[in-house]
Amino acid sequence: MASRRVTVIGAGVVGASIAYRLAQTSSVELQVIDTSTPGGGTSAASMAWLNASSKRPKDYFDLNFAGVREYYRLKSELAADWLHLTGTLAQAACTPNLEDRAAELEAWGYGVERTNAATAFGQHLPQATIVDPDEFVAHYPDEGWIDTNGATQELIGAAAACGAEYQQGCAVTRIDAEGSAYRLTLADGTTFLTDVVVNAAGPKADRIAALVGRHLPLAPTKGMTIKFFAPDLDIDKIVLSDQVEIRPDVNGCVRTHSDAVDGMMAQGAATDRTEIVEVMRTKAANFLPALESAPIAGVYMGVRPIPEDQFSCVGAVDGIDNYFEAVTHSGVTMGPLIGRLITEYVVDGTRNDLLTSRFDPNRFNELS
């Protein structure tokens, strides 16, 4: 079989995962293009929480659950020092109807362990403020988190070792059909031909889609995470508290996120960065008093690339030959899975059953 030239636009966790799988295919000559460094965009600002426990309806849960399981497969292939499958603790005060949700997840085959706040935090985060020792806490033992920088670096490196080319710091500005191929033009004026385009450009995916004459409606949302230097905190799991989400991070740090803080940014209630950061610190310190004085090691702002109807957009587009989209919320959870599914689609034309009509890019065709 003659090799085909494939260009992946975007090198976050999704794009890097696609590159890793495509590069293992002998029938593909691969190029990856990103405006930043690998994982330097939305992925860098993510909580990078690998989970399906917060996902509904059932087919979206299934897609995310398969995404979590794909990391166990990846762990057998790579060094993956960036992968931490240590589990998640969820407080009832954080998750509405948590006991009912835990029962539903068990019925769907998801790992759930029941405990209470005193036991859970006594073992895994003894510095936490416990309001009600008997509060129900769900433990999801198969979940985890990743260091997105380490992940994207290893995935792109593994792709490069298989012959993939990687170009960073340059945007795609034109995509023109040329016979059965596409000619891509970069911001620096460089042009080249490719047979296949894979759009994994995250929050810029709608702009890439427009270059091939497609309207891809996104509903991007702003998100912020803060990394605190707190080497004395005894935390080994992701914790969903009533104040913040918190997890371990590299180099003695912890990372925090708050839906309430994201909501403030979305509503424009707080435009001053310092104010937003202090709101996050206050919430974090309410749960973990040690964070009240902990040095800030990083503030990360990102834009989540969420399709307009909130569901993943993965696959081929009718009427635009050899053009594929891989655009989704929870891109960290599903990145390696999407890498495999897109590779199957590009190489064999195979659409996996996990990609139900809810996730078919063609649901937006009438808008184009």
Side-chain angles (χ1 to χ4, degrees):
M1 180 184 297
S3 62
R4 289 200 296 169
R5 297 158 294 180
V6 178
T7 299
V8 177
I9 303 174
V13 173
V14 172
S17 297
I18 295 169
Y20 170 65
R21 286 295 176 210
L22 280 171
Q24 296 173 326
T25 305
S26 60
S27 60
V28 166
E29 294 178 9
L30 181 65
Q31 182 168 18
V32 184
I33 299 172
D34 196 277
T35 56
S36 182
T37 57
T42 298
S43 294
S46 171
M47 272 297 281
W49 169 32
L50 313 177
N51 85 94
S53 56
S54 63
K55 309 300 169 59
R56 284 192 180 103
K58 180 62 162 53
D59 57 351
Y60 190 49
F61 164 84
D62 290 339
L63 193 64
N64 281 268
F65 190 12
V68 174
R69 294 197 302 270
E70 193 75 13
Y71 274 96
Y72 286 83
R73 174 176 179 171
L74 205 62
K75 189 177 181 180
S76 69
E77 300 176 10
L78 297 170
D81 296 335
W82 40 264
L83 175 59
H84 306 273
L85 295 166
T86 53
T88 299
L89 295 171
Q91 278 188 282
C94 173
T95 307
N97 304 312
L98 181 58
E99 294 198 51
D100 291 342
R101 178 58 174 161
E104 180 179 58
L105 289 168
E106 284 183 315
W108 289 352
Y110 205 63
V112 180
E113 298 172 357
R114 290 170 167 76
T115 184
N116 59 39
T119 301
F121 297 131
Q123 292 178 353
H124 300 290
L125 192 53
Q127 296 99 326
T129 299
I130 300 175
V131 176
D132 177 6
D134 296 322
E135 179 187 12
F136 176 64
V137 171
H139 177 221
Y140 307 121
D142 299 324
E143 296 184 352
W145 62 279
I146 68 169
D147 167 24
T148 57
N149 180 64
T152 50
Q153 291 285 348
E154 184 172 19
L155 290 165
I156 290 293
C162 293
E165 297 180 8
Y166 176 71
Q167 183 167 345
Q168 67 183 42
C170 208
V172 176
T173 58
R174 287 183 63 93
I175 302 177
D176 298 295
E178 191 165 311
S180 60
Y182 292 102
R183 180 170 294 279
L184 272 62
T185 302
L186 305 184
D188 63 2
T190 302
T191 71
F192 61 90
L193 287 173
T194 192
D195 297 305
V196 177
V197 171
V198 179
N199 181 356
K204 299 175 183 174
D206 53 348
R207 302 180 202 174
I208 298 301
L211 297 179
V212 296
R214 158 137 167 108
H215 177 55
L216 173 60
L218 299 184
T221 63
K222 295 179 181 178
M224 180 181 76
T225 60
I226 296 180
K227 190 157 63 174
F228 294 95
F229 181 66
D232 295 329
L233 273 181
D234 299 323
I235 180 169
D236 60 359
K237 295 182 181 292
I238 299 161
V239 176
L240 313 180
S241 79
D242 61 342
Q243 295 289 323
V244 292
E245 301 162 8
I246 185 168
R247 66 161 172 84
D249 210 321
V250 298
N251 301 322
C253 294
V254 296
R255 190 175 291 236
T256 62
H257 168 259
S258 166
D259 286 336
V261 172
D262 285 358
M264 289 173 61
M265 292 190 292
Q267 295 168 13
T271 57
D272 180 77
R273 179 185 172 110
T274 302
E275 178 186 352
I276 298 171
V277 169
E278 285 309 307
V279 170
M280 179 83 86
R281 182 191 286 279
T282 297
K283 287 181 170 294
N286 286 342
F287 180 63
L288 284 169
L291 295 183
E292 186 171 1
S293 58
I296 292 177
V299 177
Y300 303 87
M301 300 281 193
V303 178
R304 302 181 187 96
I306 306 177
E308 188 176 60
D309 61 3
Q310 307 297 304
F311 293 111
S312 309
C313 188
V314 181
V317 177
D318 293 345
I320 309 177
D321 293 340
N322 297 316
Y323 167 77
F324 299 83
E325 290 176 343
V327 186
T328 187
H329 187 29
S330 299
V332 170
T333 293
M334 291 186 282
L337 173 69
I338 289 174
R340 178 164 61 81
L341 300 187
I342 285 289
T343 296
E344 293 171 357
Y345 228 138
V346 170
V347 174
D348 302 321
T350 302
R351 175 177 168 173
N352 192 284
D353 289 343
L354 285 166
L355 297 175
T356 66
S357 59
R358 193 187 306 277
F359 315 120
D360 188 344
N362 293 295
R363 68 189 189 270
F364 295 126
N365 282 0
E366 67 273 13
L367 302 174
S368 298

